[in-house]
Amino acid sequence: MCQMYCVVRWEVSRELRKSFFEFFKSKNHEILKSASVIPAENDSSLLFTNAGMNQFKPLILSSSEPKRVANIQKCIRAGGKHNDLDDVGKDLHHQTFFEMMGNWSFNDAFSKQEACQFAWDYLVKTLSIDSDRLYVSYFGGIERLGLPEDRECREIWKRIGIPSDRILPFVAENFWEMGSAGPCGPCTEIHYDRIGGRNASSLVNIDDSVVEIWNIVFMSNIRDSSGHIHNLGKNHIDTGMGFERLLSVVQNRNSNFDTDAFTPILDKITSLTKNKLKYNGTLSSREDAVFRLVADHVRAATVAISDGAIPDGTGSGFIVRKMMRRSFLQGNSKLGIERFGLSDLVPVVISTMVPFLVRITSDKEVYPEIEKSSNEIIKTFKDEETQFWKTVDKAKKMFDGVANENKSPVISGRKAFNLFETHGLPLSVTVEMARNIGKEVDEKEFERCQLEAQKLSQKASQLKLPVSASDFPTHTDNDKYSYTYKNGRYGKSISFTLTNFNYLFLEFPKVQTRILEVYKNQEKANCLNENEKGFVVLENCQFYGEQGGQTSDTGKLLIDKKEIFEVESAKKLENGAVTVLFGRALQPIQRDLRVEQQLDEKKREGVMKAHSATHLLNWALQKSGLGCGQKGSSVDCNRLRFDYSTKDDVMEKEQRSEVLKQGEERMNEFIRHGGETIILETTIEEAKKIENLQSDVKEDRIGNSTVRVVSLGIGRDVPVECCSGTHVHDVKVIEDIAIMSDKSMGQRLRRIIAVTGEEAQKCREYAETSYKDLKSKEPKERSKIAKKIDWKRVPLVDQSRISALLKQKR
């Protein structure tokens, strides 16, 4: 079987990827690079890219041009709806990271017949897989939903030459959906019998010895938010095939972990173990389970870090840190791997992803980002493990105190949770320590405490409404960018000169629109009665929905100048396609009412100042050498939080404060000089050509996708970033920016809090008053007065000045 792959094991995965690209290139497909495993910032529905189709949502929902596309997508299923994290190691097939091979037809670029023929030809003719081991399934129909049996698909497989008893109808298994609402459709799957020499028709979708290797989805329907299924009005085809599973078929292995995607990693783990333990591929061995876990988690973390994920305490960074720490602990305690040894696995992982140079096309390599960032990945592993073992060693003293409080053989789950929440001691470490002294931990109570904490920390962004973009074809929020400062229209080149900013005022147009839908208790409702809370969707929405770190607008909806709805927040749903307003009805409201929108203009102006200042801060940090990239932000009215990555250099506190002071001076000089804000809507390719662009441009968007580029000020050396937020039209409007604090948030990650505009001026005045008050007193009295100072209101530069004064003896 598969003579083309009877080669050195390190070459098999490379040749398989190469053959896939070459086959679909010969079928006139555009071959694309994998998207990042970190989703676009406006897709809050995902922690990681978990399927090949994620990057193509815009094409599925809004494109009209025929297009053939193929790629191999990096995917991580850890966290969220598709979560394999806790199953890894327990069996022979679960993985958190995998590669998804796929090809797509958008808008009838190729037919159902061609899709099936492509799949069959690639498997049987190109890879020489034994056709006697292959079975196909198709959609058997759901009468109550008006979905007929896909007889067309069944006839296609017959024409290809598959015996009738190997063409099998299924229902739930062969109807694919993107989610509870959205595009969906029947699918057909190709299954492979790992044993062979038998008729395995009765084992398809039942026995693990017959595995699905290719899924072909005919995306011709759409499910609305009420659950009804309609015709999509266009035909797309979405296919997916797990690379590692196909590799196991090609190499005639019963497990993905026995292929050359994993065996070099498992061999390296053996060399790191104290007693040179070997991986035997069994389900009964505890050590084998840890081999699989370590190999998978290091592999997944390596890929995630190469795409910019930083181990931290929230979101995707939390999952990456969890996988790394689990590997450190299990590798050390179960396999005897010395501390700080797992970073040696990273080069091996990289070699399995790109063992030799593989090109997608003449100018595109497969996963070049992994190889290019290898040193950074290794450094991250070493730093994270150093921090982990410091945490464990420090927390052990706390654990000993808890364990010795009483003679009970059980340590309470609440105390174990406190060790985790306060000192960062993972439950698995606490359990291991307890076991070593003959005790156990009440893990159920720990889980209850953890669940309580999770409920308390749930954010409104996790809101689930039965909203589908297809339900609101006329909905838009373009008016969020409509406002003027005197004569100058936002987003246009401004030709006039502004001489006196004290008299400038912000003007918003009075936008009237229609209420498209009302929701109560997260369900569609006929109306909201007075004082009831709920959501509304407007046709032309003027409110900015929370996105990209910028807080949402607030305000009112009016009818005949009377307030009828108080907008408390605005949220972006459906991958940013729909903005919903949350608030309280002041009078009964319902669908189709025409309303006038009234923003809290003072708040919006303060937010715009802070958002523009965030871009300015990113620019100043990179110019000073302190920062090397934004890692997150939160922008509110005249206040901002900015997370940034740093270089490896260790800098003393006084030196860092001095550099930050110089950076603040540079920003305020820039503000005093002034300069207009220019907004450019352009293509991905054109944005990448901008010389001084500070933000990364995602290369995984295709079709007519555009990006919004914001440039502050005039000249070559100015802040330029891709951004969907709202900004002042001239940097002079910011007035002032004051850095309030700068602290470490982990390895090479810091956080700045800053204020702008009136808030910055108030803080400077407070600091000056406090300084003068202290200076007028004798040194002995100063420490008493200093205790009354609200240090959160004192800018960083003034904190240094006041601290120096307090140190004076006389």
Side-chain angles (χ1 to χ4, degrees), residues 6 19 48 59 65 113 126 189 317 360 369 372 456 485 512 514 516 566 628 673 685 724 750 778 809:
C6 294
S19 75
F48 296 101
L59 283 183
E65 205 175 307
Q113 167 79 39
T126 300
E189 297 173 336
I360 298 174
E369 64 282 351
K372 288 176 183 175
L456 288 173
Y485 272 99
Q512 293 194 349
R514 181 168 60 98
L516 295 177
E566 183 179 13
C628 50
H673 185 266
E685 292 304 316
S724 61
R750 299 188 70 83
E778 291 295 322
K809 300 294 183 182

PDB file of all heavy atoms in Angstrom, residues 6 19 48 59 65 113 126 189 317 360 369 372 456 485 512 514 516 566 628 673 685 724 750 778 809:
ATOM      1  N   CYS A   6       6.857   4.726   0.975  1.00  0.00           N
ATOM      2  CA  CYS A   6       7.759   3.766   1.602  1.00  0.00           C
ATOM      3  C   CYS A   6       9.157   4.370   1.632  1.00  0.00           C
ATOM      4  O   CYS A   6      10.056   3.973   0.895  1.00  0.00           O
ATOM      5  CB  CYS A   6       7.745   2.444   0.849  1.00  0.00           C
ATOM      6  SG  CYS A   6       6.147   1.616   0.966  1.00  0.00           S
ATOM      7  N   SER A  19       1.872  16.371  -1.535  1.00  0.00           N
ATOM      8  CA  SER A  19       0.992  15.734  -2.513  1.00  0.00           C
ATOM      9  C   SER A  19      -0.394  16.369  -2.494  1.00  0.00           C
ATOM     10  O   SER A  19      -1.047  16.516  -3.525  1.00  0.00           O
ATOM     11  CB  SER A  19       0.882  14.232  -2.232  1.00  0.00           C
ATOM     12  OG  SER A  19       0.058  13.976  -1.107  1.00  0.00           O
ATOM     13  N   PHE A  48      -9.609  29.518  20.123  1.00  0.00           N
ATOM     14  CA  PHE A  48      -8.636  29.134  19.099  1.00  0.00           C
ATOM     15  C   PHE A  48      -9.371  28.829  17.798  1.00  0.00           C
ATOM     16  O   PHE A  48     -10.554  28.470  17.815  1.00  0.00           O
ATOM     17  CB  PHE A  48      -7.856  27.874  19.524  1.00  0.00           C
ATOM     18  CG  PHE A  48      -7.003  28.026  20.745  1.00  0.00           C
ATOM     19  CD1 PHE A  48      -7.432  27.556  21.972  1.00  0.00           C
ATOM     20  CD2 PHE A  48      -5.749  28.632  20.665  1.00  0.00           C
ATOM     21  CE1 PHE A  48      -6.649  27.679  23.104  1.00  0.00           C
ATOM     22  CE2 PHE A  48      -4.954  28.764  21.794  1.00  0.00           C
ATOM     23  CZ  PHE A  48      -5.403  28.290  23.016  1.00  0.00           C
ATOM     24  N   LEU A  59     -16.663  34.736   3.419  1.00  0.00           N
ATOM     25  CA  LEU A  59     -16.983  34.273   2.074  1.00  0.00           C
ATOM     26  C   LEU A  59     -18.291  33.491   2.050  1.00  0.00           C
ATOM     27  O   LEU A  59     -19.089  33.608   1.128  1.00  0.00           O
ATOM     28  CB  LEU A  59     -15.858  33.394   1.524  1.00  0.00           C
ATOM     29  CG  LEU A  59     -14.600  34.115   1.020  1.00  0.00           C
ATOM     30  CD1 LEU A  59     -13.632  33.105   0.443  1.00  0.00           C
ATOM     31  CD2 LEU A  59     -14.948  35.148  -0.030  1.00  0.00           C
ATOM     32  N   GLU A  65     -18.792  35.670  -5.656  1.00  0.00           N
ATOM     33  CA  GLU A  65     -17.882  35.278  -6.726  1.00  0.00           C
ATOM     34  C   GLU A  65     -17.467  33.814  -6.558  1.00  0.00           C
ATOM     35  O   GLU A  65     -17.140  33.376  -5.450  1.00  0.00           O
ATOM     36  CB  GLU A  65     -16.627  36.162  -6.651  1.00  0.00           C
ATOM     37  CG  GLU A  65     -15.906  36.304  -7.963  1.00  0.00           C
ATOM     38  CD  GLU A  65     -14.761  37.296  -7.830  1.00  0.00           C
ATOM     39  OE1 GLU A  65     -14.996  38.419  -7.364  1.00  0.00           O
ATOM     40  OE2 GLU A  65     -13.637  36.932  -8.182  1.00  0.00           O
ATOM     41  N   GLN A 113     -20.605  16.525  -7.725  1.00  0.00           N
ATOM     42  CA  GLN A 113     -19.959  15.403  -8.420  1.00  0.00           C
ATOM     43  C   GLN A 113     -18.439  15.556  -8.386  1.00  0.00           C
ATOM     44  O   GLN A 113     -17.709  14.614  -8.069  1.00  0.00           O
ATOM     45  CB  GLN A 113     -20.440  15.349  -9.876  1.00  0.00           C
ATOM     46  CG  GLN A 113     -19.627  14.432 -10.792  1.00  0.00           C
ATOM     47  CD  GLN A 113     -19.969  12.969 -10.645  1.00  0.00           C
ATOM     48  OE1 GLN A 113     -21.133  12.619 -10.483  1.00  0.00           O
ATOM     49  NE2 GLN A 113     -18.959  12.111 -10.699  1.00  0.00           N
ATOM     50  N   THR A 126      -3.914   8.940  -6.065  1.00  0.00           N
ATOM     51  CA  THR A 126      -2.675   9.615  -5.662  1.00  0.00           C
ATOM     52  C   THR A 126      -1.996   8.896  -4.502  1.00  0.00           C
ATOM     53  O   THR A 126      -0.786   8.657  -4.528  1.00  0.00           O
ATOM     54  CB  THR A 126      -2.959  11.072  -5.278  1.00  0.00           C
ATOM     55  OG1 THR A 126      -3.522  11.752  -6.399  1.00  0.00           O
ATOM     56  CG2 THR A 126      -1.676  11.786  -4.869  1.00  0.00           C
ATOM     57  N   GLU A 189     -19.385  11.375   3.922  1.00  0.00           N
ATOM     58  CA  GLU A 189     -18.107  11.068   4.569  1.00  0.00           C
ATOM     59  C   GLU A 189     -17.490   9.804   3.969  1.00  0.00           C
ATOM     60  O   GLU A 189     -18.217   8.880   3.567  1.00  0.00           O
ATOM     61  CB  GLU A 189     -18.295  10.879   6.071  1.00  0.00           C
ATOM     62  CG  GLU A 189     -18.782  12.139   6.775  1.00  0.00           C
ATOM     63  CD  GLU A 189     -19.129  11.896   8.237  1.00  0.00           C
ATOM     64  OE1 GLU A 189     -19.429  10.744   8.603  1.00  0.00           O
ATOM     65  OE2 GLU A 189     -19.093  12.868   9.009  1.00  0.00           O
ATOM     66  N   GLY A 317      -4.346  32.420  26.313  1.00  0.00           N
ATOM     67  CA  GLY A 317      -3.090  32.364  27.073  1.00  0.00           C
ATOM     68  C   GLY A 317      -3.189  31.475  28.288  1.00  0.00           C
ATOM     69  O   GLY A 317      -2.227  30.798  28.669  1.00  0.00           O
ATOM     70  N   ILE A 360       3.977  25.739  -0.355  1.00  0.00           N
ATOM     71  CA  ILE A 360       2.587  25.686  -0.808  1.00  0.00           C
ATOM     72  C   ILE A 360       2.547  26.054  -2.288  1.00  0.00           C
ATOM     73  O   ILE A 360       1.947  25.394  -3.107  1.00  0.00           O
ATOM     74  CB  ILE A 360       1.723  26.661   0.007  1.00  0.00           C
ATOM     75  CG1 ILE A 360       1.735  26.278   1.481  1.00  0.00           C
ATOM     76  CG2 ILE A 360       0.309  26.692  -0.525  1.00  0.00           C
ATOM     77  CD1 ILE A 360       1.023  27.260   2.354  1.00  0.00           C
ATOM     78  N   GLU A 369       6.172  30.536  10.131  1.00  0.00           N
ATOM     79  CA  GLU A 369       6.173  31.243  11.407  1.00  0.00           C
ATOM     80  C   GLU A 369       6.693  30.364  12.540  1.00  0.00           C
ATOM     81  O   GLU A 369       7.261  30.863  13.521  1.00  0.00           O
ATOM     82  CB  GLU A 369       4.765  31.759  11.735  1.00  0.00           C
ATOM     83  CG  GLU A 369       3.702  30.696  11.945  1.00  0.00           C
ATOM     84  CD  GLU A 369       3.166  30.081  10.652  1.00  0.00           C
ATOM     85  OE1 GLU A 369       3.493  30.590   9.553  1.00  0.00           O
ATOM     86  OE2 GLU A 369       2.430  29.088  10.727  1.00  0.00           O
ATOM     87  N   LYS A 372      10.604  30.298  12.183  1.00  0.00           N
ATOM     88  CA  LYS A 372      11.178  31.626  12.411  1.00  0.00           C
ATOM     89  C   LYS A 372      11.155  32.025  13.883  1.00  0.00           C
ATOM     90  O   LYS A 372      11.996  32.795  14.338  1.00  0.00           O
ATOM     91  CB  LYS A 372      10.421  32.668  11.578  1.00  0.00           C
ATOM     92  CG  LYS A 372      10.699  32.580  10.087  1.00  0.00           C
ATOM     93  CD  LYS A 372       9.846  33.560   9.300  1.00  0.00           C
ATOM     94  CE  LYS A 372      10.075  33.417   7.798  1.00  0.00           C
ATOM     95  NZ  LYS A 372       9.162  34.291   7.004  1.00  0.00           N
ATOM     96  N   LEU A 456     -19.001  34.109  38.982  1.00  0.00           N
ATOM     97  CA  LEU A 456     -18.822  35.498  39.388  1.00  0.00           C
ATOM     98  C   LEU A 456     -18.059  36.307  38.341  1.00  0.00           C
ATOM     99  O   LEU A 456     -18.258  37.508  38.209  1.00  0.00           O
ATOM    100  CB  LEU A 456     -18.075  35.555  40.741  1.00  0.00           C
ATOM    101  CG  LEU A 456     -18.865  35.109  41.972  1.00  0.00           C
ATOM    102  CD1 LEU A 456     -17.953  35.063  43.192  1.00  0.00           C
ATOM    103  CD2 LEU A 456     -20.020  36.057  42.233  1.00  0.00           C
ATOM    104  N   TYR A 485     -16.046  67.589  14.168  1.00  0.00           N
ATOM    105  CA  TYR A 485     -15.513  68.627  15.050  1.00  0.00           C
ATOM    106  C   TYR A 485     -15.574  69.917  14.239  1.00  0.00           C
ATOM    107  O   TYR A 485     -14.820  70.098  13.285  1.00  0.00           O
ATOM    108  CB  TYR A 485     -14.061  68.345  15.411  1.00  0.00           C
ATOM    109  CG  TYR A 485     -13.884  67.475  16.621  1.00  0.00           C
ATOM    110  CD1 TYR A 485     -13.629  66.128  16.499  1.00  0.00           C
ATOM    111  CD2 TYR A 485     -13.954  68.020  17.902  1.00  0.00           C
ATOM    112  CE1 TYR A 485     -13.449  65.322  17.612  1.00  0.00           C
ATOM    113  CE2 TYR A 485     -13.780  67.232  19.013  1.00  0.00           C
ATOM    114  CZ  TYR A 485     -13.520  65.879  18.871  1.00  0.00           C
ATOM    115  OH  TYR A 485     -13.336  65.098  19.977  1.00  0.00           O
ATOM    116  N   GLN A 512     -32.006  58.723  12.881  1.00  0.00           N
ATOM    117  CA  GLN A 512     -33.272  58.044  13.132  1.00  0.00           C
ATOM    118  C   GLN A 512     -33.259  56.691  12.429  1.00  0.00           C
ATOM    119  O   GLN A 512     -32.703  56.557  11.338  1.00  0.00           O
ATOM    120  CB  GLN A 512     -34.438  58.896  12.629  1.00  0.00           C
ATOM    121  CG  GLN A 512     -34.615  60.184  13.415  1.00  0.00           C
ATOM    122  CD  GLN A 512     -35.947  60.844  13.153  1.00  0.00           C
ATOM    123  OE1 GLN A 512     -36.664  60.454  12.241  1.00  0.00           O
ATOM    124  NE2 GLN A 512     -36.298  61.827  13.981  1.00  0.00           N
ATOM    125  N   ARG A 514     -35.021  52.272  12.662  1.00  0.00           N
ATOM    126  CA  ARG A 514     -36.124  51.378  13.016  1.00  0.00           C
ATOM    127  C   ARG A 514     -35.626  50.257  13.930  1.00  0.00           C
ATOM    128  O   ARG A 514     -34.505  49.759  13.747  1.00  0.00           O
ATOM    129  CB  ARG A 514     -36.698  50.791  11.720  1.00  0.00           C
ATOM    130  CG  ARG A 514     -37.873  49.837  11.890  1.00  0.00           C
ATOM    131  CD  ARG A 514     -38.520  49.571  10.527  1.00  0.00           C
ATOM    132  NE  ARG A 514     -37.583  48.963   9.594  1.00  0.00           N
ATOM    133  CZ  ARG A 514     -37.518  47.650   9.344  1.00  0.00           C
ATOM    134  NH1 ARG A 514     -38.336  46.824   9.975  1.00  0.00           N
ATOM    135  NH2 ARG A 514     -36.663  47.175   8.459  1.00  0.00           N
ATOM    136  N   LEU A 516     -35.419  46.609  14.704  1.00  0.00           N
ATOM    137  CA  LEU A 516     -35.620  45.383  13.924  1.00  0.00           C
ATOM    138  C   LEU A 516     -36.075  44.207  14.783  1.00  0.00           C
ATOM    139  O   LEU A 516     -36.815  43.341  14.324  1.00  0.00           O
ATOM    140  CB  LEU A 516     -34.323  45.007  13.200  1.00  0.00           C
ATOM    141  CG  LEU A 516     -33.827  45.982  12.134  1.00  0.00           C
ATOM    142  CD1 LEU A 516     -32.498  45.495  11.568  1.00  0.00           C
ATOM    143  CD2 LEU A 516     -34.843  46.150  11.018  1.00  0.00           C
ATOM    144  N   GLU A 566     -33.120  53.148  27.716  1.00  0.00           N
ATOM    145  CA  GLU A 566     -31.801  53.542  28.215  1.00  0.00           C
ATOM    146  C   GLU A 566     -30.766  52.494  27.794  1.00  0.00           C
ATOM    147  O   GLU A 566     -30.856  51.338  28.192  1.00  0.00           O
ATOM    148  CB  GLU A 566     -31.820  53.671  29.738  1.00  0.00           C
ATOM    149  CG  GLU A 566     -30.509  54.136  30.328  1.00  0.00           C
ATOM    150  CD  GLU A 566     -30.557  54.271  31.829  1.00  0.00           C
ATOM    151  OE1 GLU A 566     -31.538  53.756  32.447  1.00  0.00           O
ATOM    152  OE2 GLU A 566     -29.647  54.876  32.399  1.00  0.00           O
ATOM    153  N   CYS A 628       7.750  45.902  22.586  1.00  0.00           N
ATOM    154  CA  CYS A 628       7.917  45.307  21.248  1.00  0.00           C
ATOM    155  C   CYS A 628       6.620  44.650  20.802  1.00  0.00           C
ATOM    156  O   CYS A 628       6.614  43.530  20.319  1.00  0.00           O
ATOM    157  CB  CYS A 628       9.086  44.338  21.208  1.00  0.00           C
ATOM    158  SG  CYS A 628       9.129  43.101  22.507  1.00  0.00           S
ATOM    159  N   HIS A 673       2.048  69.395  19.276  1.00  0.00           N
ATOM    160  CA  HIS A 673       2.346  69.715  17.879  1.00  0.00           C
ATOM    161  C   HIS A 673       1.102  69.552  17.009  1.00  0.00           C
ATOM    162  O   HIS A 673       0.883  70.298  16.049  1.00  0.00           O
ATOM    163  CB  HIS A 673       3.473  68.814  17.369  1.00  0.00           C
ATOM    164  CG  HIS A 673       3.940  69.148  15.996  1.00  0.00           C
ATOM    165  ND1 HIS A 673       3.448  68.519  14.873  1.00  0.00           N
ATOM    166  CD2 HIS A 673       4.829  70.074  15.559  1.00  0.00           C
ATOM    167  CE1 HIS A 673       4.036  69.020  13.808  1.00  0.00           C
ATOM    168  NE2 HIS A 673       4.879  69.962  14.185  1.00  0.00           N
ATOM    169  N   GLU A 685      -3.268  43.358   1.216  1.00  0.00           N
ATOM    170  CA  GLU A 685      -1.979  43.476   0.531  1.00  0.00           C
ATOM    171  C   GLU A 685      -1.453  44.899   0.585  1.00  0.00           C
ATOM    172  O   GLU A 685      -0.261  45.134   0.789  1.00  0.00           O
ATOM    173  CB  GLU A 685      -2.096  42.995  -0.922  1.00  0.00           C
ATOM    174  CG  GLU A 685      -2.331  41.508  -1.072  1.00  0.00           C
ATOM    175  CD  GLU A 685      -1.246  40.682  -0.374  1.00  0.00           C
ATOM    176  OE1 GLU A 685      -0.056  41.027  -0.509  1.00  0.00           O
ATOM    177  OE2 GLU A 685      -1.594  39.709   0.311  1.00  0.00           O
ATOM    178  N   SER A 724     -10.415  49.250  14.212  1.00  0.00           N
ATOM    179  CA  SER A 724     -11.819  49.493  13.899  1.00  0.00           C
ATOM    180  C   SER A 724     -12.459  50.450  14.894  1.00  0.00           C
ATOM    181  O   SER A 724     -13.667  50.653  14.876  1.00  0.00           O
ATOM    182  CB  SER A 724     -12.590  48.169  13.898  1.00  0.00           C
ATOM    183  OG  SER A 724     -12.512  47.569  15.180  1.00  0.00           O
ATOM    184  N   ARG A 750       4.053  43.366  30.409  1.00  0.00           N
ATOM    185  CA  ARG A 750       3.816  44.437  31.373  1.00  0.00           C
ATOM    186  C   ARG A 750       2.501  45.141  31.064  1.00  0.00           C
ATOM    187  O   ARG A 750       1.965  45.017  29.965  1.00  0.00           O
ATOM    188  CB  ARG A 750       4.973  45.440  31.381  1.00  0.00           C
ATOM    189  CG  ARG A 750       6.313  44.827  31.781  1.00  0.00           C
ATOM    190  CD  ARG A 750       7.380  45.879  31.964  1.00  0.00           C
ATOM    191  NE  ARG A 750       7.163  46.700  33.145  1.00  0.00           N
ATOM    192  CZ  ARG A 750       7.531  46.362  34.390  1.00  0.00           C
ATOM    193  NH1 ARG A 750       8.148  45.194  34.610  1.00  0.00           N
ATOM    194  NH2 ARG A 750       7.298  47.170  35.406  1.00  0.00           N
ATOM    195  N   GLU A 778       8.023  69.895  57.708  1.00  0.00           N
ATOM    196  CA  GLU A 778       9.301  69.359  58.163  1.00  0.00           C
ATOM    197  C   GLU A 778       9.387  67.876  57.768  1.00  0.00           C
ATOM    198  O   GLU A 778       8.354  67.189  57.702  1.00  0.00           O
ATOM    199  CB  GLU A 778       9.428  69.488  59.681  1.00  0.00           C
ATOM    200  CG  GLU A 778       9.562  70.910  60.168  1.00  0.00           C
ATOM    201  CD  GLU A 778      10.861  71.544  59.692  1.00  0.00           C
ATOM    202  OE1 GLU A 778      11.892  70.826  59.661  1.00  0.00           O
ATOM    203  OE2 GLU A 778      10.836  72.726  59.324  1.00  0.00           O
ATOM    204  N   LYS A 809      16.304  63.785  54.472  1.00  0.00           N
ATOM    205  CA  LYS A 809      16.393  63.816  55.936  1.00  0.00           C
ATOM    206  C   LYS A 809      16.099  65.207  56.485  1.00  0.00           C
ATOM    207  O   LYS A 809      15.601  65.381  57.586  1.00  0.00           O
ATOM    208  CB  LYS A 809      17.796  63.382  56.388  1.00  0.00           C
ATOM    209  CG  LYS A 809      18.177  61.979  55.949  1.00  0.00           C
ATOM    210  CD  LYS A 809      17.296  60.950  56.618  1.00  0.00           C
ATOM    211  CE  LYS A 809      17.741  59.539  56.230  1.00  0.00           C
ATOM    212  NZ  LYS A 809      16.859  58.525  56.831  1.00  0.00           N
TER     213      LYS A 809
END
